[in-house]
Amino acid sequence: MPQREPGTHVQIPAFSYLCPLPPCRKFEFNPKLGIDNPVLSLAEDLDPSDLWSLERPRFCLLSKEEGRSFGFHLQQERGTVGHVVCRVEPGTSAQRQGLREGDRILGVNNHVVEHEDYLVVIRRIRASSPRVLLTVLARHMHDVARAQRGNNDHLCPTLSPGVRPRLCHIVKDEGGFGFSITQGRRGPFWLVLSTGGAAERAGVPPGARLLEVNGVSVEKFTHNQLNRKLFQSGKEVTLLVAGPEVEEQCRQLGMPLAAPLAEGWALPNRPRCLHLEKGPKGFGFVLREEKGLDGRLGQFLWEVDPGLPAEKAGMQAGDRLVAVAGESVEGLGHEETVSKIRAQGSCVSLVVVDPKADRFFSMVRLSPLLFLESTEAPDSPQVTLSASLTETEDPPVEDTMVAPVPCCFRQCFLYPGPGGGYGFRLSCVASVPHLFISQVTLGGSAAQAGLQLGDVILEMNGYPVGGENDLETLQQLAEAKPPLHLKLAARPHQSLEAWIPPRTGP
């Protein structure tokens, strides 16, 4: 991107799509009917409700179409707070969703961005592709609000913490998917959960409104169409749902129940954050541009050399590169992507998805980058076994490797069952400043919440943890009133697997 001179505007063509203007309708004057030019729009003829809508924040849910972008240009003016839409391309999602020139961007997917750096806002929007929810305010009303309230107050309405739609992946068991649908000839539909069923274990809240099935909106489906869609899903289905509290807050704010707001609960696939430090033989992988599952060009990782940094960080041949140093590379060409990697020097952070994860996020039409940091489902309090804390002996020197904790982390909430435990074993190595998951009981609370062997514990009930000195404190925290709140780092693969002791019992 060229350097910005003081007082200039920077436009972001990545958001724009230039298309030919539609032909104007010819104006024919009929003296019997008076002036009736359908091309003109006079302010005094606007619906009063439209004028009122410009006086408050609006929500624009944009979707990228095949071969297009969102369809707007963004700029930042010198000496002003906020980010201004300077052009909206005709015939694009931005125009259809009511985005207007001069609108100020207040929020991106429930993130307040009024005071964020300009480039950070650009990265947020790009990282949300192919769908993004923008909160905007007409420029004249923004100026009035700033004059009244000053520059420090936030004007962006947001959902309360923890109040978000949920993207829940449900695996059918002997009781089916574990929900029924409220009767009605046509949507919207609400779900009635079976106690302890698959849907409840996957994090679907009671009284949830059903929004999407496998990335397809079902709000206007008939009951028969919805049943057919669920039947075609087979043994697994991914639902976008909104609990009653989410539905009510969105109604009060006038905010759509939009998929980019969702938290992932019990998802089968997630993006992986890899940290590579260049060795004497380089990183140990080859980047190639080729067509992906959706037929569009992407950047793929191949020829992962055994024993070199890429493999040690967990890279797998066939992974698709999603981001470099936290910045999305979707839509970038090969040379530009390579330049971004080289610009990181000898240490680089990459976000990748394997083919299964790529298919999953393509199906639900959401960016995997939205789920780097996400909340896992609180598990059912009825099912769990014991949890214990153990200290292991140091592994052989040649197998010991202190891997950096990945930047992508997640949170989960566990409830104890009748046995009083949580269904996982926590271990540490004396020479390594991390605690990690060394055993997960099948069917237990930890397993159903998504804990995996090798996951690193960063916090427990808000208390930062680091190593063997925290074992006694952690035992006390584990006995505290539930739920048990864990903050976990994504598994650093080989380096941590070397620390996991072999099982010695049933």
Side-chain angles (χ1 to χ4, degrees):
M1 181 181 298
Q3 295 295 320
R4 184 160 32 113
E5 297 296 331
T8 62
H9 295 168
V10 177
Q11 296 185 348
I12 306 299
F15 297 149
S16 67
Y17 172 71
L18 297 177
C19 61
L21 290 172
C24 295
R25 296 170 57 189
K26 184 179 180 180
F27 168 55
E28 296 180 357
F29 175 68
N30 187 333
K32 294 183 179 180
L33 299 177
I35 296 177
D36 185 18
N37 186 349
V39 178
L40 298 178
S41 178
L42 303 179
E44 55 265 28
D45 292 332
L46 286 174
D47 188 322
S49 63
D50 290 339
L51 289 174
W52 177 77
S53 70
L54 297 178
E55 298 178 0
R56 59 193 178 97
R58 314 187 318 276
F59 300 95
C60 300
L61 180 59
L62 310 185
S63 299
K64 277 189 179 180
E65 300 170 355
E66 187 67 29
R68 297 191 176 189
S69 64
F70 290 124
F72 69 95
H73 293 238
L74 196 62
Q75 72 179 25
Q76 185 179 42
E77 296 175 329
R78 186 186 180 195
T80 63
V81 175
H83 314 281
V84 183
V85 176
C86 63
R87 188 167 69 195
V88 177
E89 302 296 345
T92 61
S93 177
Q95 184 193 49
R96 289 192 298 273
Q97 293 300 314
L99 197 64
R100 300 167 183 255
E101 293 182 10
D103 280 343
R104 297 294 184 107
I105 304 292
L106 305 182
V108 177
N109 296 343
N110 208 49
H111 293 283
V112 179
V113 300
E114 297 171 73
H115 299 286
E116 282 193 345
D117 182 77
Y118 178 65
L119 293 179
V120 172
V121 178
I122 299 302
R123 292 188 185 116
R124 285 194 184 278
I125 297 173
R126 285 177 173 162
S128 185
S129 177
R131 292 193 276 179
V132 65
L133 180 67
L134 301 180
T135 307
V136 303
L137 184 62
R139 184 168 188 167
H140 66 283
M141 291 308 304
H142 184 273
D143 294 342
V144 170
R146 282 285 168 237
Q148 294 175 342
R149 300 170 57 175
N151 286 332
N152 294 325
D153 283 355
H154 289 308
L155 305 176
C156 182
T158 59
L159 296 173
S160 300
V163 180
R164 304 269 292 279
R166 297 180 182 180
L167 189 69
C168 302
H169 185 76
I170 308 172
V171 179
K172 186 182 293 186
D173 59 17
E174 62 276 4
F177 286 129
F179 65 85
S180 58
I181 305 165
T182 55
Q183 293 298 319
R185 188 173 180 275
R186 187 176 294 274
F189 301 100
W190 285 263
L191 303 181
V192 180
L193 304 185
S194 303
T195 303
E200 185 178 75
R201 296 196 305 271
V204 178
R209 178 172 173 172
L210 180 59
L211 306 174
E212 294 184 3
V213 175
N214 293 338
V216 177
S217 173
V218 297
E219 290 276 83
K220 296 182 180 179
F221 271 30
T222 65
H223 202 280
N224 288 338
Q225 288 173 325
L226 177 56
N227 282 330
R228 190 179 307 115
K229 182 70 175 175
L230 291 170
F231 177 78
Q232 292 171 347
S233 299
K235 296 182 179 180
E236 301 182 13
V237 68
T238 304
L239 306 182
L240 178 68
V241 298
E245 187 177 4
V246 180
E247 197 173 354
E248 177 59 21
Q249 282 201 22
C250 284
R251 186 193 65 80
Q252 292 177 359
L253 296 174
M255 179 184 292
L257 294 164
L261 298 173
E263 295 176 323
W265 288 57
L267 298 185
N269 308 102
R270 289 186 180 274
R272 309 189 323 273
C273 200
L274 312 180
H275 295 267
L276 287 69
E277 185 171 352
K278 184 182 289 186
K281 296 183 180 180
F283 289 122
F285 71 92
V286 172
L287 184 70
R288 293 179 184 164
E289 182 175 68
E290 55 190 58
K291 287 187 177 181
L293 300 171
D294 55 2
R296 291 185 295 178
L297 289 175
Q299 308 302 319
F300 291 83
L301 305 167
W302 295 102
E303 299 182 25
V304 181
D305 295 327
L308 294 189
E311 188 197 44
K312 290 180 179 179
M315 184 181 294
Q316 301 170 14
D319 282 343
R320 183 170 69 85
L321 182 61
V322 178
V324 176
E327 185 173 355
S328 173
V329 297
E330 297 282 356
L332 297 186
H334 182 72
E335 294 301 323
E336 191 172 358
T337 305
V338 171
S339 296
K340 286 186 176 294
I341 295 175
R342 287 176 174 167
Q344 302 305 307
S346 60
C347 295
V348 62
S349 174
L350 307 177
V351 179
V352 302
V353 289
D354 61 30
K356 287 185 178 179
D358 206 3
R359 280 192 292 270
F360 175 79
F361 289 108
S362 178
M363 177 189 70
V364 298
R365 298 187 300 125
L366 289 171
S367 169
L369 294 175
L370 296 178
F371 300 93
L372 275 176
E373 176 186 341
S374 191
T375 302
E376 291 287 342
D379 190 49
S380 167
Q382 289 80 21
V383 184
T384 189
L385 293 175
S386 63
S388 60
L389 300 169
T390 63
E391 183 173 356
T392 68
E393 297 295 327
D394 286 352
V397 174
E398 62 269 21
D399 291 334
T400 304
M401 176 180 175
V402 180
V405 175
C407 64
C408 39
F409 59 86
R410 65 190 190 279
Q411 302 178 64
C412 64
F413 297 83
L414 305 180
Y415 289 81
Y422 294 97
F424 69 91
R425 183 178 294 273
L426 192 60
S427 300
C428 74
V429 175
S431 61
V432 176
H434 300 311
L435 294 171
F436 62 94
I437 303 296
S438 60
Q439 182 178 333
V440 179
T441 304
L442 289 176
S445 176
Q448 294 175 0
L451 269 70
Q452 301 180 26
L453 290 180
D455 280 347
V456 176
I457 304 294
L458 301 181
E459 293 182 5
M460 182 180 290
N461 290 349
Y463 176 83
V465 298
E468 56 182 315
N469 295 331
D470 289 318
L471 286 173
E472 184 177 349
T473 303
L474 286 171
Q475 185 67 62
Q476 297 173 356
L477 288 170
E479 296 170 355
K481 182 178 178 181
L484 178 65
H485 180 191
L486 298 180
K487 184 176 180 180
L488 306 166
R491 183 174 64 177
H493 297 273
Q494 290 186 338
S495 57
L496 278 177
E497 288 172 358
W499 305 340
I500 299 174
R503 288 191 62 181
T504 57

